[in-house]
Amino acid sequence: MYRCFDLLLSTLGLLTILPALLMIYCLGFFDTGSPLFVQERVGLKKKKFNLIKFRTMLKETEMISSHLVSPSSITAFGLFLRRTKLDELPQLWNVLIGDMSLVGPRPNLLNQVELIKERDELDIYCVRPGITGLAQINKIDMSKPKLLANKDREMIDTLSISNYFKYIILTVLGKGRGDQVKKT
């Protein structure tokens, strides 16, 4: 049932914001020379997939979890994209092709062993990862694996059509930040 909403909303979203996506892409090209960021993540049933975002950091930045990255790696344009969550928009493509859902646990990196262990214990990989969810609107990031996995399980167990739309609306309105680069 949620897959139907995912298909409809991601298609409408991509068509509606196509001019904005193209503009951000062009500005990103001037910012870093490589406007898209593609990173291998863990998806449904622990299948690997390539997550797509607008690049917010310098190209040479190490591929590690956001909360471990130096704030100096973020470009000025990237900071704007992160604050407005515009860097997340290309993930609508991931939703459209079935790698992700609009709502679900944020997909983790393959090297986040502790988080994978915690999520395995709670069978979190039984659902598609999402762009947003209960953990994100509660500002719980991947630096707290056990808490995150528990919040993911709570979301899976209580997901309803109203919660699905509530999480999306709260995210669009700016509630929560998910994984953020920590200030040093």
Side-chain angles (χ1 to χ4, degrees), residues 3 32 48 105 120 131 164:
R3 183 70 188 131
T32 63
K48 298 175 196 174
D120 267 341
I131 295 175
Y164 175 92

Side-chain angles (χ1 to χ4, degrees), residues 37-41 51 53 56-71 73 82 107-112 142-143 179-182:
F37 174 75
V38 179
Q39 188 176 55
E40 203 169 55
R41 298 285 182 106
L51 177 126
K53 294 174 78 169
T56 60
M57 298 181 201
L58 301 170
K59 274 179 69 173
E60 57 275 0
T61 303
E62 188 179 356
M63 291 269 197
I64 55 176
S65 187
S66 291
H67 67 275
L68 300 174
V69 172
S70 168
S73 297
R82 283 173 169 261
N108 54 271
L109 298 167
L110 281 68
N111 65 358
Q112 291 177 299
M142 293 185 183
S143 68
D179 280 338
Q180 291 291 301
V181 173
K182 304 295 186 210

Side-chain angles (χ1 to χ4, degrees), residues 14 39 46 58 70 92 95-96 101 105 110 116 121 136 168:
L14 285 167
Q39 188 176 55
K46 293 176 78 174
L58 301 170
S70 168
L92 289 173
V95 173
L96 183 66
S101 175
L110 281 68
I116 292 170
E121 288 176 9
Q136 286 67 43
I168 293 170

